[in-house]
Amino acid sequence: GYRKQMDAEKRESLNFRNREAARHDAVMSELNSLAQEKEHESYVLKWLGENDSKQYLADQAELRRRSLAFRNAEGKRHRDIDEENRAKLAEENAEDEELKAACETIKL
């Protein structure tokens, strides 16, 4: 009687604990799986962000290079125009001097 009842309760208790342990393991496994997915997603986002920042820096460097090249070409164009104007002015001054000299010789 009593011994059989105690054995049955013990078996029932062990069965219950085994089911609880299995359920607990399943829940923990699911939580670990979710944590790994989150971690993987975090790494993927991190890598994408790093690639985006590398691309942004490369784009900015290219824009800077183009800007410097444009400013350099623009500066050269301005220097060439200034040189042309200086040469024209020198030529005009030389012509004026020749005309003044010619006028002076005619007056004399």
Side-chain angles (χ1 to χ4, degrees):
Y2 177 75
R3 185 92 172 133
K4 284 185 180 180
Q5 183 182 355
M6 293 307 292
D7 287 345
E9 286 179 10
K10 190 173 184 180
R11 275 193 306 277
E12 189 178 320
S13 175
L14 286 173
N15 285 337
F16 174 77
R17 290 197 326 230
N18 283 340
R19 284 192 308 270
E20 278 298 302
R23 191 180 68 76
H24 181 263
D25 287 347
V27 168
M28 291 307 292
S29 175
E30 181 67 20
L31 288 175
N32 286 335
S33 175
L34 289 173
Q36 285 178 339
E37 286 178 23
K38 277 288 196 192
E39 185 177 7
H40 176 72
E41 183 179 326
S42 176
Y43 278 122
V44 168
L45 291 174
K46 177 184 172 206
W47 294 326
L48 289 174
E50 287 174 357
N51 287 341
D52 285 350
S53 65
K54 287 178 188 173
Q55 185 61 48
Y56 173 78
L57 291 174
D59 291 347
Q60 291 302 309
E62 176 64 15
L63 287 175
R64 180 170 166 73
R65 188 191 65 74
R66 287 184 188 174
S67 174
L68 290 172
F70 173 77
R71 292 195 328 236
N72 188 33
E74 193 66 13
K76 180 169 178 4
R77 190 174 74 82
H78 282 275
R79 287 189 301 275
D80 290 346
I81 290 171
D82 289 346
E83 179 60 28
E84 280 180 30
N85 289 340
R86 190 190 63 71
K88 280 183 188 175
L89 188 60
E91 189 178 317
E92 289 172 2
N93 285 342
E95 287 177 11
D96 285 350
E97 290 298 320
E98 285 178 21
L99 289 175
K100 283 182 187 175
C103 284
E104 289 297 320
T105 56
I106 292 174
K107 285 183 183 176
L108 295 175

PDB file of all heavy atoms in Angstrom, residues 36-68:
ATOM      1  N   GLN A  36      21.465  34.600 -30.803  1.00  0.00           N
ATOM      2  CA  GLN A  36      22.446  34.452 -31.887  1.00  0.00           C
ATOM      3  C   GLN A  36      21.991  35.186 -33.144  1.00  0.00           C
ATOM      4  O   GLN A  36      22.798  35.822 -33.826  1.00  0.00           O
ATOM      5  CB  GLN A  36      22.677  32.974 -32.204  1.00  0.00           C
ATOM      6  CG  GLN A  36      23.529  32.269 -31.176  1.00  0.00           C
ATOM      7  CD  GLN A  36      23.709  30.787 -31.488  1.00  0.00           C
ATOM      8  OE1 GLN A  36      22.925  30.203 -32.227  1.00  0.00           O
ATOM      9  NE2 GLN A  36      24.742  30.203 -30.911  1.00  0.00           N
ATOM     10  N   GLU A  37      20.682  35.111 -33.445  1.00  0.00           N
ATOM     11  CA  GLU A  37      20.154  35.841 -34.603  1.00  0.00           C
ATOM     12  C   GLU A  37      20.352  37.339 -34.430  1.00  0.00           C
ATOM     13  O   GLU A  37      20.757  38.032 -35.366  1.00  0.00           O
ATOM     14  CB  GLU A  37      18.662  35.535 -34.790  1.00  0.00           C
ATOM     15  CG  GLU A  37      18.367  34.174 -35.353  1.00  0.00           C
ATOM     16  CD  GLU A  37      16.871  33.910 -35.472  1.00  0.00           C
ATOM     17  OE1 GLU A  37      16.081  34.878 -35.537  1.00  0.00           O
ATOM     18  OE2 GLU A  37      16.504  32.723 -35.488  1.00  0.00           O
ATOM     19  N   LYS A  38      20.060  37.845 -33.224  1.00  0.00           N
ATOM     20  CA  LYS A  38      20.234  39.279 -32.954  1.00  0.00           C
ATOM     21  C   LYS A  38      21.703  39.681 -33.100  1.00  0.00           C
ATOM     22  O   LYS A  38      22.022  40.721 -33.665  1.00  0.00           O
ATOM     23  CB  LYS A  38      19.752  39.620 -31.533  1.00  0.00           C
ATOM     24  CG  LYS A  38      18.290  39.828 -31.431  1.00  0.00           C
ATOM     25  CD  LYS A  38      17.914  41.133 -32.070  1.00  0.00           C
ATOM     26  CE  LYS A  38      16.534  41.550 -31.634  1.00  0.00           C
ATOM     27  NZ  LYS A  38      16.061  42.656 -32.451  1.00  0.00           N
ATOM     28  N   GLU A  39      22.587  38.847 -32.559  1.00  0.00           N
ATOM     29  CA  GLU A  39      24.010  39.142 -32.643  1.00  0.00           C
ATOM     30  C   GLU A  39      24.468  39.155 -34.095  1.00  0.00           C
ATOM     31  O   GLU A  39      25.195  40.048 -34.523  1.00  0.00           O
ATOM     32  CB  GLU A  39      24.802  38.106 -31.840  1.00  0.00           C
ATOM     33  CG  GLU A  39      26.285  38.415 -31.768  1.00  0.00           C
ATOM     34  CD  GLU A  39      27.054  37.423 -30.912  1.00  0.00           C
ATOM     35  OE1 GLU A  39      26.472  36.407 -30.480  1.00  0.00           O
ATOM     36  OE2 GLU A  39      28.244  37.681 -30.698  1.00  0.00           O
ATOM     37  N   HIS A  40      24.006  38.172 -34.870  1.00  0.00           N
ATOM     38  CA  HIS A  40      24.362  38.116 -36.288  1.00  0.00           C
ATOM     39  C   HIS A  40      23.840  39.354 -37.016  1.00  0.00           C
ATOM     40  O   HIS A  40      24.564  39.977 -37.800  1.00  0.00           O
ATOM     41  CB  HIS A  40      23.791  36.840 -36.916  1.00  0.00           C
ATOM     42  CG  HIS A  40      24.026  36.754 -38.385  1.00  0.00           C
ATOM     43  ND1 HIS A  40      25.273  36.513 -38.918  1.00  0.00           N
ATOM     44  CD2 HIS A  40      23.194  36.899 -39.443  1.00  0.00           C
ATOM     45  CE1 HIS A  40      25.184  36.515 -40.236  1.00  0.00           C
ATOM     46  NE2 HIS A  40      23.937  36.745 -40.582  1.00  0.00           N
ATOM     47  N   GLU A  41      22.592  39.700 -36.734  1.00  0.00           N
ATOM     48  CA  GLU A  41      21.998  40.886 -37.359  1.00  0.00           C
ATOM     49  C   GLU A  41      22.790  42.139 -36.986  1.00  0.00           C
ATOM     50  O   GLU A  41      23.049  43.008 -37.821  1.00  0.00           O
ATOM     51  CB  GLU A  41      20.549  41.021 -36.898  1.00  0.00           C
ATOM     52  CG  GLU A  41      19.801  42.166 -37.530  1.00  0.00           C
ATOM     53  CD  GLU A  41      18.363  42.238 -37.055  1.00  0.00           C
ATOM     54  OE1 GLU A  41      17.756  41.188 -36.796  1.00  0.00           O
ATOM     55  OE2 GLU A  41      17.860  43.373 -36.929  1.00  0.00           O
ATOM     56  N   SER A  42      23.220  42.201 -35.733  1.00  0.00           N
ATOM     57  CA  SER A  42      24.005  43.340 -35.272  1.00  0.00           C
ATOM     58  C   SER A  42      25.328  43.439 -36.039  1.00  0.00           C
ATOM     59  O   SER A  42      25.732  44.520 -36.465  1.00  0.00           O
ATOM     60  CB  SER A  42      24.269  43.197 -33.773  1.00  0.00           C
ATOM     61  OG  SER A  42      25.111  44.234 -33.322  1.00  0.00           O
ATOM     62  N   TYR A  43      25.988  42.286 -36.218  1.00  0.00           N
ATOM     63  CA  TYR A  43      27.240  42.291 -36.980  1.00  0.00           C
ATOM     64  C   TYR A  43      27.008  42.697 -38.433  1.00  0.00           C
ATOM     65  O   TYR A  43      27.775  43.470 -39.006  1.00  0.00           O
ATOM     66  CB  TYR A  43      27.914  40.915 -36.939  1.00  0.00           C
ATOM     67  CG  TYR A  43      28.709  40.673 -35.688  1.00  0.00           C
ATOM     68  CD1 TYR A  43      28.432  39.595 -34.854  1.00  0.00           C
ATOM     69  CD2 TYR A  43      29.758  41.514 -35.331  1.00  0.00           C
ATOM     70  CE1 TYR A  43      29.163  39.371 -33.699  1.00  0.00           C
ATOM     71  CE2 TYR A  43      30.488  41.304 -34.186  1.00  0.00           C
ATOM     72  CZ  TYR A  43      30.187  40.226 -33.370  1.00  0.00           C
ATOM     73  OH  TYR A  43      30.915  40.014 -32.235  1.00  0.00           O
ATOM     74  N   VAL A  44      25.938  42.181 -39.026  1.00  0.00           N
ATOM     75  CA  VAL A  44      25.637  42.532 -40.418  1.00  0.00           C
ATOM     76  C   VAL A  44      25.416  44.034 -40.542  1.00  0.00           C
ATOM     77  O   VAL A  44      25.963  44.684 -41.443  1.00  0.00           O
ATOM     78  CB  VAL A  44      24.406  41.743 -40.930  1.00  0.00           C
ATOM     79  CG1 VAL A  44      23.903  42.300 -42.248  1.00  0.00           C
ATOM     80  CG2 VAL A  44      24.743  40.266 -41.073  1.00  0.00           C
ATOM     81  N   LEU A  45      24.629  44.597 -39.616  1.00  0.00           N
ATOM     82  CA  LEU A  45      24.385  46.046 -39.652  1.00  0.00           C
ATOM     83  C   LEU A  45      25.676  46.827 -39.437  1.00  0.00           C
ATOM     84  O   LEU A  45      25.908  47.850 -40.080  1.00  0.00           O
ATOM     85  CB  LEU A  45      23.341  46.431 -38.604  1.00  0.00           C
ATOM     86  CG  LEU A  45      21.924  45.936 -38.876  1.00  0.00           C
ATOM     87  CD1 LEU A  45      21.015  46.243 -37.698  1.00  0.00           C
ATOM     88  CD2 LEU A  45      21.369  46.547 -40.148  1.00  0.00           C
ATOM     89  N   LYS A  46      26.523  46.331 -38.544  1.00  0.00           N
ATOM     90  CA  LYS A  46      27.806  46.995 -38.285  1.00  0.00           C
ATOM     91  C   LYS A  46      28.650  46.998 -39.556  1.00  0.00           C
ATOM     92  O   LYS A  46      29.224  48.014 -39.942  1.00  0.00           O
ATOM     93  CB  LYS A  46      28.541  46.267 -37.156  1.00  0.00           C
ATOM     94  CG  LYS A  46      29.912  46.826 -36.863  1.00  0.00           C
ATOM     95  CD  LYS A  46      30.626  45.992 -35.807  1.00  0.00           C
ATOM     96  CE  LYS A  46      32.060  46.456 -35.695  1.00  0.00           C
ATOM     97  NZ  LYS A  46      32.937  45.441 -35.224  1.00  0.00           N
ATOM     98  N   TRP A  47      28.727  45.827 -40.212  1.00  0.00           N
ATOM     99  CA  TRP A  47      29.538  45.739 -41.437  1.00  0.00           C
ATOM    100  C   TRP A  47      28.973  46.620 -42.539  1.00  0.00           C
ATOM    101  O   TRP A  47      29.722  47.288 -43.261  1.00  0.00           O
ATOM    102  CB  TRP A  47      29.620  44.289 -41.910  1.00  0.00           C
ATOM    103  CG  TRP A  47      30.357  43.390 -40.974  1.00  0.00           C
ATOM    104  CD1 TRP A  47      31.432  43.719 -40.183  1.00  0.00           C
ATOM    105  CD2 TRP A  47      30.096  42.014 -40.702  1.00  0.00           C
ATOM    106  NE1 TRP A  47      31.830  42.632 -39.443  1.00  0.00           N
ATOM    107  CE2 TRP A  47      31.029  41.564 -39.743  1.00  0.00           C
ATOM    108  CE3 TRP A  47      29.150  41.107 -41.165  1.00  0.00           C
ATOM    109  CZ2 TRP A  47      31.053  40.268 -39.254  1.00  0.00           C
ATOM    110  CZ3 TRP A  47      29.173  39.814 -40.681  1.00  0.00           C
ATOM    111  CH2 TRP A  47      30.111  39.402 -39.737  1.00  0.00           C
ATOM    112  N   LEU A  48      27.637  46.639 -42.650  1.00  0.00           N
ATOM    113  CA  LEU A  48      27.029  47.511 -43.653  1.00  0.00           C
ATOM    114  C   LEU A  48      27.338  48.976 -43.353  1.00  0.00           C
ATOM    115  O   LEU A  48      27.641  49.754 -44.256  1.00  0.00           O
ATOM    116  CB  LEU A  48      25.514  47.284 -43.708  1.00  0.00           C
ATOM    117  CG  LEU A  48      25.049  45.964 -44.306  1.00  0.00           C
ATOM    118  CD1 LEU A  48      23.540  45.813 -44.153  1.00  0.00           C
ATOM    119  CD2 LEU A  48      25.441  45.854 -45.764  1.00  0.00           C
ATOM    120  N   GLY A  49      27.263  49.329 -42.084  1.00  0.00           N
ATOM    121  CA  GLY A  49      27.582  50.705 -41.693  1.00  0.00           C
ATOM    122  C   GLY A  49      29.021  51.056 -41.993  1.00  0.00           C
ATOM    123  O   GLY A  49      29.332  52.150 -42.474  1.00  0.00           O
ATOM    124  N   GLU A  50      29.936  50.105 -41.721  1.00  0.00           N
ATOM    125  CA  GLU A  50      31.349  50.353 -42.026  1.00  0.00           C
ATOM    126  C   GLU A  50      31.544  50.524 -43.523  1.00  0.00           C
ATOM    127  O   GLU A  50      32.283  51.408 -43.960  1.00  0.00           O
ATOM    128  CB  GLU A  50      32.211  49.201 -41.504  1.00  0.00           C
ATOM    129  CG  GLU A  50      32.358  49.191 -39.995  1.00  0.00           C
ATOM    130  CD  GLU A  50      33.084  47.959 -39.477  1.00  0.00           C
ATOM    131  OE1 GLU A  50      33.429  47.070 -40.281  1.00  0.00           O
ATOM    132  OE2 GLU A  50      33.298  47.890 -38.252  1.00  0.00           O
ATOM    133  N   ASN A  51      30.883  49.686 -44.318  1.00  0.00           N
ATOM    134  CA  ASN A  51      31.006  49.808 -45.774  1.00  0.00           C
ATOM    135  C   ASN A  51      30.428  51.127 -46.256  1.00  0.00           C
ATOM    136  O   ASN A  51      30.993  51.766 -47.144  1.00  0.00           O
ATOM    137  CB  ASN A  51      30.309  48.631 -46.473  1.00  0.00           C
ATOM    138  CG  ASN A  51      31.087  47.338 -46.321  1.00  0.00           C
ATOM    139  OD1 ASN A  51      32.272  47.348 -46.022  1.00  0.00           O
ATOM    140  ND2 ASN A  51      30.424  46.225 -46.525  1.00  0.00           N
ATOM    141  N   ASP A  52      29.285  51.538 -45.666  1.00  0.00           N
ATOM    142  CA  ASP A  52      28.694  52.826 -46.033  1.00  0.00           C
ATOM    143  C   ASP A  52      29.647  53.966 -45.709  1.00  0.00           C
ATOM    144  O   ASP A  52      29.817  54.885 -46.505  1.00  0.00           O
ATOM    145  CB  ASP A  52      27.369  53.050 -45.295  1.00  0.00           C
ATOM    146  CG  ASP A  52      26.221  52.216 -45.856  1.00  0.00           C
ATOM    147  OD1 ASP A  52      26.405  51.617 -46.931  1.00  0.00           O
ATOM    148  OD2 ASP A  52      25.167  52.158 -45.215  1.00  0.00           O
ATOM    149  N   SER A  53      30.272  53.899 -44.535  1.00  0.00           N
ATOM    150  CA  SER A  53      31.178  54.990 -44.156  1.00  0.00           C
ATOM    151  C   SER A  53      32.416  54.992 -45.049  1.00  0.00           C
ATOM    152  O   SER A  53      32.903  56.053 -45.432  1.00  0.00           O
ATOM    153  CB  SER A  53      31.572  54.899 -42.680  1.00  0.00           C
ATOM    154  OG  SER A  53      32.335  53.740 -42.429  1.00  0.00           O
ATOM    155  N   LYS A  54      32.925  53.806 -45.411  1.00  0.00           N
ATOM    156  CA  LYS A  54      34.069  53.750 -46.331  1.00  0.00           C
ATOM    157  C   LYS A  54      33.696  54.352 -47.676  1.00  0.00           C
ATOM    158  O   LYS A  54      34.471  55.113 -48.262  1.00  0.00           O
ATOM    159  CB  LYS A  54      34.532  52.306 -46.522  1.00  0.00           C
ATOM    160  CG  LYS A  54      35.262  51.725 -45.339  1.00  0.00           C
ATOM    161  CD  LYS A  54      35.633  50.273 -45.588  1.00  0.00           C
ATOM    162  CE  LYS A  54      36.190  49.634 -44.328  1.00  0.00           C
ATOM    163  NZ  LYS A  54      36.399  48.186 -44.495  1.00  0.00           N
ATOM    164  N   GLN A  55      32.506  54.013 -48.168  1.00  0.00           N
ATOM    165  CA  GLN A  55      32.052  54.556 -49.453  1.00  0.00           C
ATOM    166  C   GLN A  55      31.877  56.070 -49.359  1.00  0.00           C
ATOM    167  O   GLN A  55      32.265  56.803 -50.268  1.00  0.00           O
ATOM    168  CB  GLN A  55      30.739  53.890 -49.880  1.00  0.00           C
ATOM    169  CG  GLN A  55      30.258  54.312 -51.260  1.00  0.00           C
ATOM    170  CD  GLN A  55      31.258  53.955 -52.345  1.00  0.00           C
ATOM    171  OE1 GLN A  55      31.751  52.840 -52.395  1.00  0.00           O
ATOM    172  NE2 GLN A  55      31.575  54.900 -53.201  1.00  0.00           N
ATOM    173  N   TYR A  56      31.303  56.543 -48.248  1.00  0.00           N
ATOM    174  CA  TYR A  56      31.121  57.979 -48.052  1.00  0.00           C
ATOM    175  C   TYR A  56      32.469  58.699 -48.063  1.00  0.00           C
ATOM    176  O   TYR A  56      32.633  59.732 -48.726  1.00  0.00           O
ATOM    177  CB  TYR A  56      30.390  58.242 -46.731  1.00  0.00           C
ATOM    178  CG  TYR A  56      30.315  59.700 -46.367  1.00  0.00           C
ATOM    179  CD1 TYR A  56      29.389  60.538 -46.974  1.00  0.00           C
ATOM    180  CD2 TYR A  56      31.183  60.249 -45.427  1.00  0.00           C
ATOM    181  CE1 TYR A  56      29.330  61.881 -46.662  1.00  0.00           C
ATOM    182  CE2 TYR A  56      31.127  61.592 -45.104  1.00  0.00           C
ATOM    183  CZ  TYR A  56      30.192  62.400 -45.725  1.00  0.00           C
ATOM    184  OH  TYR A  56      30.157  63.738 -45.421  1.00  0.00           O
ATOM    185  N   LEU A  57      33.453  58.145 -47.337  1.00  0.00           N
ATOM    186  CA  LEU A  57      34.773  58.773 -47.302  1.00  0.00           C
ATOM    187  C   LEU A  57      35.419  58.765 -48.676  1.00  0.00           C
ATOM    188  O   LEU A  57      36.054  59.751 -49.077  1.00  0.00           O
ATOM    189  CB  LEU A  57      35.668  58.056 -46.283  1.00  0.00           C
ATOM    190  CG  LEU A  57      35.265  58.240 -44.816  1.00  0.00           C
ATOM    191  CD1 LEU A  57      36.138  57.377 -43.914  1.00  0.00           C
ATOM    192  CD2 LEU A  57      35.352  59.700 -44.407  1.00  0.00           C
ATOM    193  N   ALA A  58      35.256  57.665 -49.425  1.00  0.00           N
ATOM    194  CA  ALA A  58      35.806  57.604 -50.780  1.00  0.00           C
ATOM    195  C   ALA A  58      35.126  58.642 -51.669  1.00  0.00           C
ATOM    196  O   ALA A  58      35.792  59.329 -52.458  1.00  0.00           O
ATOM    197  CB  ALA A  58      35.633  56.199 -51.355  1.00  0.00           C
ATOM    198  N   ASP A  59      33.799  58.772 -51.541  1.00  0.00           N
ATOM    199  CA  ASP A  59      33.071  59.776 -52.334  1.00  0.00           C
ATOM    200  C   ASP A  59      33.531  61.190 -51.986  1.00  0.00           C
ATOM    201  O   ASP A  59      33.718  62.026 -52.879  1.00  0.00           O
ATOM    202  CB  ASP A  59      31.560  59.659 -52.090  1.00  0.00           C
ATOM    203  CG  ASP A  59      30.965  58.378 -52.662  1.00  0.00           C
ATOM    204  OD1 ASP A  59      31.654  57.704 -53.459  1.00  0.00           O
ATOM    205  OD2 ASP A  59      29.814  58.052 -52.302  1.00  0.00           O
ATOM    206  N   GLN A  60      33.714  61.451 -50.685  1.00  0.00           N
ATOM    207  CA  GLN A  60      34.173  62.777 -50.268  1.00  0.00           C
ATOM    208  C   GLN A  60      35.581  63.067 -50.796  1.00  0.00           C
ATOM    209  O   GLN A  60      35.872  64.186 -51.225  1.00  0.00           O
ATOM    210  CB  GLN A  60      34.135  62.905 -48.741  1.00  0.00           C
ATOM    211  CG  GLN A  60      32.736  62.933 -48.172  1.00  0.00           C
ATOM    212  CD  GLN A  60      31.902  64.070 -48.743  1.00  0.00           C
ATOM    213  OE1 GLN A  60      32.326  65.222 -48.749  1.00  0.00           O
ATOM    214  NE2 GLN A  60      30.728  63.752 -49.251  1.00  0.00           N
ATOM    215  N   ALA A  61      36.445  62.060 -50.770  1.00  0.00           N
ATOM    216  CA  ALA A  61      37.808  62.240 -51.290  1.00  0.00           C
ATOM    217  C   ALA A  61      37.768  62.538 -52.785  1.00  0.00           C
ATOM    218  O   ALA A  61      38.513  63.394 -53.281  1.00  0.00           O
ATOM    219  CB  ALA A  61      38.644  60.993 -51.014  1.00  0.00           C
ATOM    220  N   GLU A  62      36.886  61.842 -53.509  1.00  0.00           N
ATOM    221  CA  GLU A  62      36.752  62.084 -54.956  1.00  0.00           C
ATOM    222  C   GLU A  62      36.223  63.496 -55.218  1.00  0.00           C
ATOM    223  O   GLU A  62      36.725  64.197 -56.098  1.00  0.00           O
ATOM    224  CB  GLU A  62      35.829  61.034 -55.581  1.00  0.00           C
ATOM    225  CG  GLU A  62      35.541  61.233 -57.045  1.00  0.00           C
ATOM    226  CD  GLU A  62      36.754  61.115 -57.940  1.00  0.00           C
ATOM    227  OE1 GLU A  62      37.803  60.601 -57.494  1.00  0.00           O
ATOM    228  OE2 GLU A  62      36.685  61.561 -59.104  1.00  0.00           O
ATOM    229  N   LEU A  63      35.229  63.916 -54.438  1.00  0.00           N
ATOM    230  CA  LEU A  63      34.711  65.282 -54.596  1.00  0.00           C
ATOM    231  C   LEU A  63      35.798  66.311 -54.319  1.00  0.00           C
ATOM    232  O   LEU A  63      35.924  67.307 -55.040  1.00  0.00           O
ATOM    233  CB  LEU A  63      33.527  65.511 -53.655  1.00  0.00           C
ATOM    234  CG  LEU A  63      32.214  64.827 -54.028  1.00  0.00           C
ATOM    235  CD1 LEU A  63      31.174  65.039 -52.934  1.00  0.00           C
ATOM    236  CD2 LEU A  63      31.686  65.364 -55.347  1.00  0.00           C
ATOM    237  N   ARG A  64      36.584  66.084 -53.284  1.00  0.00           N
ATOM    238  CA  ARG A  64      37.676  67.007 -52.954  1.00  0.00           C
ATOM    239  C   ARG A  64      38.711  67.046 -54.078  1.00  0.00           C
ATOM    240  O   ARG A  64      39.178  68.108 -54.467  1.00  0.00           O
ATOM    241  CB  ARG A  64      38.321  66.575 -51.639  1.00  0.00           C
ATOM    242  CG  ARG A  64      39.472  67.466 -51.212  1.00  0.00           C
ATOM    243  CD  ARG A  64      39.909  67.141 -49.784  1.00  0.00           C
ATOM    244  NE  ARG A  64      41.183  67.711 -49.450  1.00  0.00           N
ATOM    245  CZ  ARG A  64      41.408  68.999 -49.221  1.00  0.00           C
ATOM    246  NH1 ARG A  64      40.422  69.864 -49.301  1.00  0.00           N
ATOM    247  NH2 ARG A  64      42.617  69.424 -48.894  1.00  0.00           N
ATOM    248  N   ARG A  65      39.030  65.854 -54.622  1.00  0.00           N
ATOM    249  CA  ARG A  65      40.003  65.792 -55.711  1.00  0.00           C
ATOM    250  C   ARG A  65      39.492  66.575 -56.928  1.00  0.00           C
ATOM    251  O   ARG A  65      40.223  67.363 -57.530  1.00  0.00           O
ATOM    252  CB  ARG A  65      40.260  64.328 -56.095  1.00  0.00           C
ATOM    253  CG  ARG A  65      41.400  64.158 -57.097  1.00  0.00           C
ATOM    254  CD  ARG A  65      41.457  62.749 -57.648  1.00  0.00           C
ATOM    255  NE  ARG A  65      40.281  62.409 -58.428  1.00  0.00           N
ATOM    256  CZ  ARG A  65      40.017  62.855 -59.654  1.00  0.00           C
ATOM    257  NH1 ARG A  65      40.824  63.693 -60.247  1.00  0.00           N
ATOM    258  NH2 ARG A  65      38.925  62.474 -60.287  1.00  0.00           N
ATOM    259  N   ARG A  66      38.209  66.380 -57.251  1.00  0.00           N
ATOM    260  CA  ARG A  66      37.631  67.104 -58.396  1.00  0.00           C
ATOM    261  C   ARG A  66      37.616  68.603 -58.143  1.00  0.00           C
ATOM    262  O   ARG A  66      37.893  69.396 -59.048  1.00  0.00           O
ATOM    263  CB  ARG A  66      36.208  66.624 -58.657  1.00  0.00           C
ATOM    264  CG  ARG A  66      36.140  65.255 -59.276  1.00  0.00           C
ATOM    265  CD  ARG A  66      34.713  64.895 -59.578  1.00  0.00           C
ATOM    266  NE  ARG A  66      34.585  63.522 -60.010  1.00  0.00           N
ATOM    267  CZ  ARG A  66      33.435  62.930 -60.218  1.00  0.00           C
ATOM    268  NH1 ARG A  66      32.309  63.578 -60.030  1.00  0.00           N
ATOM    269  NH2 ARG A  66      33.391  61.671 -60.611  1.00  0.00           N
ATOM    270  N   SER A  67      37.281  68.982 -56.909  1.00  0.00           N
ATOM    271  CA  SER A  67      37.237  70.403 -56.571  1.00  0.00           C
ATOM    272  C   SER A  67      38.624  71.035 -56.707  1.00  0.00           C
ATOM    273  O   SER A  67      38.766  72.119 -57.272  1.00  0.00           O
ATOM    274  CB  SER A  67      36.718  70.576 -55.142  1.00  0.00           C
ATOM    275  OG  SER A  67      36.804  71.919 -54.743  1.00  0.00           O
ATOM    276  N   LEU A  68      39.636  70.325 -56.192  1.00  0.00           N
ATOM    277  CA  LEU A  68      41.007  70.852 -56.310  1.00  0.00           C
ATOM    278  C   LEU A  68      41.438  70.941 -57.769  1.00  0.00           C
ATOM    279  O   LEU A  68      42.058  71.930 -58.177  1.00  0.00           O
ATOM    280  CB  LEU A  68      41.977  69.972 -55.518  1.00  0.00           C
ATOM    281  CG  LEU A  68      41.849  70.053 -53.992  1.00  0.00           C
ATOM    282  CD1 LEU A  68      42.734  68.997 -53.343  1.00  0.00           C
ATOM    283  CD2 LEU A  68      42.224  71.435 -53.492  1.00  0.00           C
TER     284      LEU A  68
END
